[in-house]
Amino acid sequence: MQYLIGLILTFVCLMLLTQIIFFELARNKVKKSGNIDWYLNLNKPFHYNRVGYMAFVCVICYIMSSPVSLFSIMGVVYFVIFLAVGVISDIVVQYLITKYGKLRCHREIEETLVLEKEVSELAKTVVEDYQYEESNKCYDEKIIFKEYYTPQSHIAHMSIDEGHFVKELNQYSEANFVVATYGNVDKTKENLSDMPVQVTKLTPSGQMPFKDEKMDIVMCMNSNYDKNEILRVLKQGGYFLVNQYGTANMKEILHMFVPFGMKGSWDAYSCSQTLESVGFQIIDKFENYGTVRFFTLYSLYTYLLKNSPGLANIEKYKTFYMNVLKSIKEYSYYELTTHQFLVVAKKM
């Protein structure tokens, strides 16, 4: 009995030391990444669910170290004792590391709980707030568009912003279309109800809803597109204007959700290459790296609603908004990197 108790204590000490080391490494990583949701997990009640994992580990260890065959009666008895020691030790260690984590990160846990409560309250009364500061851009997509526009042009705008850009552009010709590539088509129609614009969407097969060579200008505003479809619907000599976000845009958010990053680069140069590969002639290209600062949670929400609607959901991305609120409290603002480019291509 004394041997069994001594064995359990030895296991517990070794495993606890190992777990503390891994815990501290994880804590340092969380501080760098800003994943404050980790602190909320520390505050959860203790629940042990590693019996299967420990049974597997014990089987491997027993086979490698036991002088007695597992398939003998004595081997089975020894294995049961060995398994019991392993599971009991792991339960004790997991419980202790849970307590250690709560004590070690007590302040961070309390701060995170306060942030979670505040964000949940703010999510109930979301309002639009345009009080954010954007650095100066080196190009203006509205001015560039007007260089190619004529009153006789047949124009298609590929949009994800429910028609806001077209409304702000306030430049209409004989035939104006807005293709809501994804998002709320009915909302887009509502926003443009008093404008001389026809709102449509992609076909079920993902094609542009136009006949061959019917458009003089296709402008893509931050939307995905099929370069072959654009080539199909453009008239000979027609223009394709691509205004999109590059790889570095909002990299702080990307780093939070995809900590290992993404391969490849999407910028004016790579976009131009893909268009040239199907026969477009590149007329011009522009690229802008900048920043945008937010002073309230609502201002970030408003910005994302216009530029990345998928992220404008406070409840769904609560952890992200908690990080934003934490930064605003500490530094009075939250800052994002912006990266946009515009390519003008001509169908030859």
Side-chain angles (χ1 to χ4, degrees), residues 146-192:
K146 291 175 182 179
E147 291 178 12
Y148 299 92
Y149 156 88
T150 68
Q152 295 76 36
S153 298
H154 287 210
I155 304 169
H157 292 275
M158 300 180 70
S159 167
I160 65 169
D161 67 351
E162 299 178 344
H164 288 293
F165 174 76
V166 175
K167 198 167 186 176
E168 292 172 3
L169 188 63
N170 197 29
Q171 197 85 34
Y172 307 104
S173 61
E174 289 182 355
N176 299 274
F177 299 88
V178 170
V179 184
T181 51
Y182 61 87
N184 193 325
V185 177
D186 292 333
K187 184 67 174 177
T188 305
K189 289 181 178 179
E190 181 184 333
N191 289 339
L192 298 172

Side-chain angles (χ1 to χ4, degrees), residues 140-147 165 168-169 219 306:
D140 187 325
E141 52 269 25
K142 296 184 182 70
I143 293 175
I144 294 171
F145 169 80
K146 291 175 182 179
E147 291 178 12
F165 174 76
E168 292 172 3
L169 188 63
M219 184 161 192
K306 180 181 178 181

Side-chain angles (χ1 to χ4, degrees), residues 186-205:
D186 292 333
K187 184 67 174 177
T188 305
K189 289 181 178 179
E190 181 184 333
N191 289 339
L192 298 172
S193 60
D194 57 342
M195 305 293 172
V197 175
Q198 182 177 336
V199 178
T200 182
K201 59 182 179 179
L202 299 176
T203 67
S205 60

Side-chain angles (χ1 to χ4, degrees), residues 109-155:
I109 291 172
E110 291 298 319
E111 289 176 352
T112 305
L113 289 172
V114 171
L115 288 172
E116 183 184 36
K117 183 178 179 180
E118 290 184 9
V119 168
S120 296
E121 289 298 319
L122 289 169
K124 296 176 184 177
T125 56
V126 173
V127 294
E128 292 188 357
D129 178 3
Y130 292 91
Q131 300 301 311
Y132 51 81
E133 293 180 357
E134 295 183 83
S135 57
N136 293 329
K137 290 177 64 175
C138 64
Y139 70 87
D140 187 325
E141 52 269 25
K142 296 184 182 70
I143 293 175
I144 294 171
F145 169 80
K146 291 175 182 179
E147 291 178 12
Y148 299 92
Y149 156 88
T150 68
Q152 295 76 36
S153 298
H154 287 210
I155 304 169

Side-chain angles (χ1 to χ4, degrees), residues 4 7-8 11-12 48 51 54-55 58 76-92:
L4 186 60
L7 191 60
I8 290 175
F11 265 49
V12 167
Y48 187 78
V51 175
M54 286 306 298
C58 288
V76 172
V77 172
Y78 283 164
F79 173 71
V80 170
I81 295 173
F82 187 76
L83 177 60
V85 169
V87 172
I88 292 171
S89 300
D90 194 52
I91 292 173
V92 173

Side-chain angles (χ1 to χ4, degrees), residues 9 43 98 122 142 151 186 200 202 212 214 219 225 236 249 284 300 323 335 337-338:
L9 290 175
N43 198 48
T98 299
L122 289 169
K142 296 184 182 70
D186 292 333
T200 182
L202 299 176
D212 295 355
K214 288 294 180 182
M219 184 161 192
Y225 63 89
Q236 206 73 23
N249 189 61
D284 214 341
L300 173 67
N323 273 286
E335 187 171 88
T337 301
T338 57

